[in-house]
Amino acid sequence: MGKSLDPQLRAALASRIRYYNDLGIYDFYRRPGQTMEAASVGAEHATLPVVISSPAKSAVTESTSKVPVATLHTIREDIGECTRCRLHKLGRKQIVFGVGNPRAQLMFIGEAPGADEDEQGEPFVGRAGQLLNNMITNGMGLRREDVYIANIIKCRPPNNRTPERDECETCSPFLMRQIEVIRPKVIVALGSIAAKTLLAINASMSELRGRWYEFRGTKLAVTYHPAFLLRDPRQKKAAWKDLQMVMKELGLPIPARNTD
Ligand code: SF4
């Protein structure tokens, strides 16, 4: 007690604890009579110096329930106060990471944060977000918190301009990591920028919609971006068709109504 740790050992311990956190292990204890140094040495030699403290909790359940959250947290930490592309100096207020259920079966991926998202730090919270919520709840019979929502890029482009290709390429690896952690059953790309970036194909929305793509072991469908639907509500019927295709894949009941 009271003895300060060697900085190198402290760093090694912090790294080891983070590793265990990523596995879903959060509670640690020291064996009676064991020093911190001995415990850390034991960890290096994998003699299981770190155990889950509550025997009532199954290690498997604990681990399974916390891995996605812990790992998304790690990805967010890795992004940090990112300056990897020019958008960091073009007026962004904050990074918009993504929101929703880390175990979601359904993931929506849009293009980029807008003004409201930049302000609130959450994707799809403005008018387009309200329409997306409507599509999720009234259309699909789900709740917003059942799905996961993210964008190709995490910082708002100035004046909501279309993200540049190099910005998408620089930022999208973080999204790929989020997808790997969440492992959704279905991804819905919202709009052509999201679809083209994910699928690496250059095609019109009419060519991209209405079919399934294989994307890193996940099924991917393309539909209109809600912001586009606000500008051209006549396309809502087509978007509803896309959602029905997704609902069928997810085994969701399809009500006889539309998303107006
Ligand atoms: S858009 Fe992505 S890569 Fe560019 S600064 Fe923001 S977080 Fe970093």
Side-chain angles (χ1 to χ4, degrees):
M1 286 286 285
K3 187 183 164 194
S4 62
L5 281 177
D6 169 72
Q8 260 190 332
L9 181 56
R10 181 182 292 278
L13 273 172
S15 150
R16 180 53 56 122
I17 287 168
R18 196 165 105 172
Y19 170 75
Y20 280 111
N21 285 169
D22 283 352
L23 294 177
I25 299 168
Y26 290 83
D27 302 323
F28 309 94
Y29 74 83
R30 242 187 306 161
R31 284 182 178 140
Q34 192 177 28
T35 63
M36 287 294 282
E37 287 84 351
S40 68
V41 170
E44 289 306 319
H45 291 279
T47 52
L48 205 63
V50 180
V51 295
I52 294 170
S53 61
S54 167
K57 292 178 189 168
S58 143
V60 173
T61 314
E62 184 83 345
S63 171
T64 316
S65 65
K66 285 187 175 171
V67 162
V69 178
T71 316
L72 286 174
H73 183 70
T74 307
I75 299 167
R76 180 63 190 89
E77 278 188 351
D78 289 349
I79 295 172
E81 280 307 301
C82 186
T83 57
R84 292 172 180 85
C85 85
R86 69 180 75 77
L87 290 178
H88 82 277
K89 55 182 177 187
L90 297 182
R92 76 148 188 233
K93 285 190 178 150
Q94 55 187 315
I95 287 166
V96 180
F97 180 68
V99 71
N101 184 351
R103 310 192 141 276
Q105 290 209 329
L106 175 60
M107 188 167 175
F108 288 96
I109 299 176
E111 181 178 313
D116 295 308
E117 290 75 20
D118 185 46
E119 197 67 49
Q120 296 182 40
E122 187 172 323
F124 286 94
V125 289
R127 280 186 66 224
Q130 281 168 17
L131 178 54
L132 179 62
N133 289 348
N134 195 15
M135 289 157 74
I136 293 168
T137 54
N138 292 337
M140 306 184 84
L142 298 170
R143 299 169 308 166
R144 181 175 162 102
E145 53 268 37
D146 292 331
V147 306
Y148 196 89
I149 306 170
N151 283 308
I152 295 287
I153 60 168
K154 304 199 182 306
C155 298
R156 182 193 180 199
N159 304 315
N160 294 345
R161 68 153 165 76
T162 303
E164 304 282 349
R165 193 172 161 181
D166 64 321
E167 294 160 357
C168 293
E169 283 171 1
T170 307
C171 200
S172 58
F174 294 116
L175 174 67
M176 299 310 145
R177 286 177 63 192
Q178 287 171 281
I179 294 169
E180 272 167 28
V181 168
I182 296 163
R183 292 179 179 274
K185 196 171 168 195
V186 171
I187 292 172
V188 177
L190 298 167
S192 65
I193 294 292
K196 287 178 193 174
T197 306
L198 293 170
L199 297 170
I201 48 175
N202 201 2
S204 67
M205 278 300 282
S206 57
E207 291 167 319
L208 289 165
R209 287 184 43 253
R211 52 162 289 198
W212 286 109
Y213 300 84
E214 197 281 329
F215 178 77
R216 296 174 169 232
T218 297
K219 289 192 118 177
L220 186 147
V222 178
T223 193
Y224 293 113
H225 194 288
F228 173 78
L229 294 175
L230 289 173
R231 292 195 299 273
D232 188 356
R234 289 168 307 169
Q235 303 304 329
K236 281 187 180 176
K237 269 201 179 110
W240 173 229
K241 247 184 160 178
D242 299 333
L243 293 186
Q244 284 179 306
M245 186 176 91
V246 170
M247 291 164 74
K248 206 171 159 195
E249 182 64 28
L250 291 172
L252 297 171
I254 298 173
R257 63 186 178 210
N258 61 35
T259 55
D260 286 336

